[in-house]
Structure formats: C-alpha cells, structure tokens
C-alpha cells in the first residue's frame, strides 16, 4: 500500500552520500507505478526491458556507421560497452543508452572524402578527429562538474542549438541525393525505402513506431530481394559472406591517426553532443520527477570518455539516445540497471561476425533512402527545438542567428585558417556562438543604458 501514493518529487536519485545511489528493489505494480532511477527489477523483467532498449537503439546505431563507412558490428559492440561504462561513470544516476551519433556523419564524410558505399578507406583519420572530440567533450564535463551548467546554457541557448541541429541534416542533403541518383533503379529503390519507413512511422503504433528505421529497412530489404534476386532487376544481394562468417568471434579493430584538418572538422561536433545531452537530461528529469540535472557534468564527462574509447578501437562517436528516452516515456521504467542489461545484449550481438555480415548485405540505395529520412528528421528536430522553447523570431537577434547559421551550414560555407579547413558545419557553429555572444552583450548594454 505504501506505493499507492507514489508521485514525482524531484528528489535526488536515491541516497546522495555516495557515487552510486542506495539501490532499492521495486515493489510496485508495473501497470500503475513507475520504476524509479534507483530501483531495480527482478532479473526476468530486467532482461525483457533490456531487450526492448536494445531493439530501440538498433536501427539508428547500425545505420550511422554504414553511412560513414564504419564497421556496423563493431559500432554495436562499442555502443554496448559505452552504455555499461556510462552507467559506472555517472554512478547509475542518469538513465540513458549510448548509441552511434548522427552528428558525426557530415564532418566525417567531408574529412575522409567518403563516397557513400563500402568500407571507408580513410577511417583512421576520422577516428582521430572523433577521439579528440571525445576528449574535449569529457573536459567540458569535468568543468561542468566543477562550475555547474549555467554557462553552457548561456553559450548555447535554444536559438543556437536549434540552428546547429538543423544544419547537420541540411549539410548532407546534396550528398545524400547524389548518392541515390546514379541510375533510375537506385532512385526508385531509395523512394521505396522512404515510403516503407514513412508508412511505419505514420501507420504503426507503440514499439513498432519506435523501431521505424529498423522495420522500414526490413520491409524495403524484402522488397529489394524480390525485385533483384527473384525477378532479376538491378544488382542482387550476395549472401556468400554471410554463409562464410563465423557465429562467434571478435570484430576487426582499427586505430586512429591524427590529422589536424580532420580534427578541426570533427572536434566541433562536441558542441552538438553537449546540446543534445543537455536536452535529453532535462527531458528525463521532467519525465521521472527526479533530479537528474545535478549529474549533467558526469553525463558529459562519461559521454565524452565513451566517445574517445569507442573511436580508439574503430567505433563511431556515441551519444545519449532519444529513441531509448522514448521507450522510457512509454514504459515508465527509468531504472538505470535496465540499461546495463541492454548494453550487455548489444555486446553479445557485436561479438557475432555472422550478424555483422548480414548487416553488410544491405544495398546502398536502401541506405540512401534511409539517410533521406534520417537527415530530414534531424533537420526538423532543429525546428522542434525552436518551437518547444518558443523562440521569438520577431527579435532581429534571433532572426539573424538562425538565418545566417542555417544558410552557411546548408551551403557548406567554409572558412580556412591557414591550411586548416573548418568545414561547413564547423564554420556555421562558430558563427552561431559568436553572434549569440555579440548580441547578448549588446542587449545587456542597452538594458544598462535604459536603467
């Protein structure tokens, strides 16, 4: 009966006396009472909810490395390891799954001149840039742990973060469309993939909708198989590597090399990850009714360190996943121990070469169609940040920041400092932050004069 009055209290996650909370067994009813961050479920229920989180992250975590020419199986393995490490580094205070970040796609493609199909021959250069980005991000986390998060919010208010998120999608739009325009068959297949994913997104419900990328790709894959392997159109899928791959084994690991141009292009992604994580943590805090913001510095530090760890072995940069936050919103299960289970499941999947070989049979036009949806959703997510925060575009400062940033990023306007190329996204990010600082100072000066 004690749990019948369970209400959000915005209390800290358990006992604050130690790094980890004081864990408590869940004794409520799942249909009526949420599972709080510092509570844990029985093993069988933890496994079921962990599997659900693993499925939720799967589509995006697989798609991101494929679009950059990384090893998708290795990315899944590193995502699982990163999620478990994140749990320990945050002291189990922040419920989150860490998966492949889409924010790295545009700068990685630019830095490596990746053509969009097969293995990325310049992978090591990209890994070096991602590693430095992770270290910088982790250092920001340490600073936030010391000073608080207020200065981050002033440096990157919603008008800035919304514009930066938008340009991630817009910057890649020309590359994406060009990649599926090689011949008419590929173009039609890409459109078919867009329609499959869109149908799942609009007409499905519950968990199926959360897995829109995965389910949509599976449907498009089946249609492609019928068109090519059965009816003889286009390039058929070759399953020989799948038959030859072992069921269990370590993936191939890769090591970073450090190129200053690649670092300058990729390292600014840290600002995107900070904005993304900031939004996710505030969403989780509102959802759970427990104080998560005090541990934001830990989350930044952990995410940055996990990104550096992942890239040091050949994996993608990682970030907290909105897909899994969505799962929490539906299930009302916020226990961080469930994410440990999800991470361990991902590790097991990553240790199967046969599973990886299946992923690599996904045809290029299907990935192209999926990328159209993904980059479009990223772009719209930037608009959503503006809407959710009620950005007033009648103010010229907001109007200029948004307009200049979006056009610079979409048009790939790039500044060079000596031999260093900031790239379109890097240049637009810097300009957005600088404009915001200038306009903020100007606004403060006006207020001082009026007083």
């Amino acid at each position: 009966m004690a749990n019948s009055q369970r209400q959000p209290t915005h209390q800290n996650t358990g006992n604050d006396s130690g790094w980890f909370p004081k864990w408590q067994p869940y004794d409520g009813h799942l249909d009526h009472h949420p599972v709080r961050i510092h509570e844990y479920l029985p093993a069988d229920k933890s496994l079921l909810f962990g599997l659900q989180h693993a499925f939720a992250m799967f589509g995006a975590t697989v798609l991101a490395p494929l679009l950059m020419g990384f090893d998708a199986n290795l990315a899944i393995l590193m995502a699982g390891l990163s999620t478990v490490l994140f749990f320990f580094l945050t002291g189990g205070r922040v419920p989150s799954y860490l998966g492949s970040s889409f924010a790295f796609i545009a700068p990685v493609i630019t830095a490596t001149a990746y053509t969009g199909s097969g293995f990325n021959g310049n992978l090591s250069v990209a890994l070096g840039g991602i590693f430095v980005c992770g270290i910088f991000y982790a250092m920001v986390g340490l600073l936030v742990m010391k000073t608080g998060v207020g200065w981050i919010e002033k440096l990157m208010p919603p008008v800035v973060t919304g514009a930066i998120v938008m340009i991630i999608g817009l910057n890649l739009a020309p590359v994406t469309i060009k990649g599926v325009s090689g011949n008419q068959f590929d173009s039609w297949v890409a459109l078919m993939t867009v329609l499959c994913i869109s149908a799942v997104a609009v007409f499905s419900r519950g968990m199926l909708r959360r897995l829109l990328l995965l389910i949509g790709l599976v449907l498009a894959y089946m249609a492609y198989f019928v068109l090519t392997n059965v009816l003889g159109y286009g390039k058929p899928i070759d399953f020989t590597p799948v038959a030859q791959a072992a069921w269990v084994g370590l993936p191939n690991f890769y090591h970073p090399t450090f190129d200053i141009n690649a670092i300058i292009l990729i390292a600014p992604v840290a600002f995107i990850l900070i904005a993304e994580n900031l939004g996710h943590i505030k969403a989780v805090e509102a959802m759970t009714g427990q104080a998560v913001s005090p541990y934001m510095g830990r989350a930044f530090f952990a995410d940055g360190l996990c990104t550096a760890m992942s890239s040091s072995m050949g994996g993608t940069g990682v970030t907290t996943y909105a897909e899994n936050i969505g799962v929490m919103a539906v299930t009302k299960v916020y226990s961080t121990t469930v994410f440990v289970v999800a991470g361990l499941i991902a590790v097991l999947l990553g240790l199967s070469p046969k599973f990886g070989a299946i992923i690599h049979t996904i045809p290029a036009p299907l990935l192209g169609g999926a990328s159209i949806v993904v980059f479009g959703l990223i772009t719209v997510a930037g608009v959503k940040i503006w809407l959710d925060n009620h950005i007033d575009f009648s103010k010229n400062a907001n109007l200029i920041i948004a307009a200049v940033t979006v056009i610079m990023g979409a048009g790939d306007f790039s500044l060079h400092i000596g031999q260093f190329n900031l790239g379109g996204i890097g240049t637009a990010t810097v300009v957005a932050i600088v404009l915001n600082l200038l306009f903020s100072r100007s606004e403060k000066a006006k207020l001082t004069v009026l007083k």
Side-chain angles (χ1 to χ4, degrees), residues 34-302:
V35 182
R36 294 178 179 176
I37 291 171
H38 58 282
E39 295 176 328
Y40 61 89
L41 291 166
D44 57 339
K45 289 184 172 64
S46 293
L47 179 60
L48 288 174
F49 284 107
L51 277 168
Q52 187 168 238
H53 276 294
F55 276 115
M57 69 83 195
F58 183 83
T61 293
V62 167
L63 184 60
L66 292 178
L67 295 178
M68 293 185 284
F70 283 50
D71 185 332
N73 219 42
L74 179 59
I76 292 173
L77 173 63
M78 298 314 300
L81 290 174
S82 295
T83 299
V84 175
L85 180 59
F86 183 87
F87 170 84
F88 287 102
L89 291 175
T90 59
R93 306 279 187 169
V94 183
S96 192
Y97 190 95
L98 265 59
S100 303
S101 171
F102 283 86
F104 287 99
I105 297 175
V108 163
I109 288 176
T110 302
T112 60
Y114 181 59
T115 58
S117 179
F119 182 74
N120 191 330
N122 293 319
L123 175 68
S124 64
V125 171
L127 295 176
I130 295 172
F131 181 87
V132 173
C133 175
I135 295 299
F136 173 69
Y137 187 13
M139 291 173 65
V140 172
L142 290 174
L143 185 60
V144 171
M145 289 170 71
K146 184 72 175 176
T147 63
V149 77
W151 64 275
I152 290 282
E153 294 177 325
K154 289 180 180 178
L155 189 68
M156 299 177 65
V159 66
V160 172
T161 56
I164 293 171
V165 170
M166 280 189 71
I167 62 176
I168 297 173
L170 292 174
N171 186 267
L172 274 178
V175 178
T176 303
I177 299 303
K178 185 179 179 181
V180 296
S181 302
N183 58 69
Q184 278 298 297
F185 181 78
D186 284 358
S187 297
W188 281 105
V189 167
L191 178 59
M192 175 190 71
T193 305
V194 170
L195 293 175
C196 286
I197 295 173
S198 302
V200 174
V202 174
F203 298 115
S204 67
R205 293 291 181 270
M207 197 61 197
L208 282 179
R209 179 175 285 182
R210 295 290 174 193
L211 300 175
L212 75 162
L213 286 173
L214 176 61
I215 303 300
L217 270 177
V218 168
L219 292 175
Y221 187 96
M222 292 167 62
Y224 185 93
F225 175 82
V226 172
L227 287 171
T228 58
N229 292 61
V230 177
L231 299 179
Y233 297 101
K235 182 181 178 182
I237 301 171
D238 182 10
F239 292 101
T240 304
V242 178
Q244 294 174 343
W247 281 102
V248 179
L250 288 172
N252 293 321
F253 294 99
Y254 306 92
H255 301 289
T257 57
F258 299 96
D259 175 82
I260 190 63
N261 284 318
I263 289 170
I264 289 175
L265 282 169
I266 297 171
V269 172
F271 292 107
I272 313 297
L273 300 180
I274 289 167
E276 197 170 51
N277 211 336
L278 181 71
H280 287 173
I281 286 175
K282 288 185 176 296
V284 169
E285 185 170 73
M287 185 191 307
T288 62
Q290 294 181 260
V292 183
S293 291
Y295 309 107
M296 197 174 291
R298 292 190 193 185
F300 288 175
F301 174 74

Side-chain angles (χ1 to χ4, degrees), residues 325-360:
I325 293 173
V327 171
M328 285 193 288
V330 171
T331 62
K332 303 296 188 293
V333 176
Y334 311 121
S335 172
T336 50
T337 58
V338 169
F339 288 94
V340 176
V341 176
L344 293 175
I345 291 169
V347 169
L348 292 176
L349 290 175
L351 292 175
S352 174
K354 190 173 289 290
F355 181 69
I358 292 172
I359 293 172
H360 283 288

Side-chain angles (χ1 to χ4, degrees), residues 106-107 109-111 167-175 265 404-416 421-428:
I109 288 176
T110 302
I167 62 176
I168 297 173
L170 292 174
N171 186 267
L172 274 178
V175 178
L265 282 169
V404 171
T405 304
V406 169
I407 293 302
M408 277 187 170
D412 203 27
F413 179 86
S414 179
L415 290 176
H416 295 253
N421 181 0
L422 288 176
I425 292 178
T427 301

Side-chain angles (χ1 to χ4, degrees), residues 23-42:
W23 301 107
Q24 300 172 8
Y26 176 73
D27 60 355
H29 194 288
L30 286 173
D31 289 337
H32 305 292
H33 305 132
V35 182
R36 294 178 179 176
I37 291 171
H38 58 282
E39 295 176 328
Y40 61 89
L41 291 166

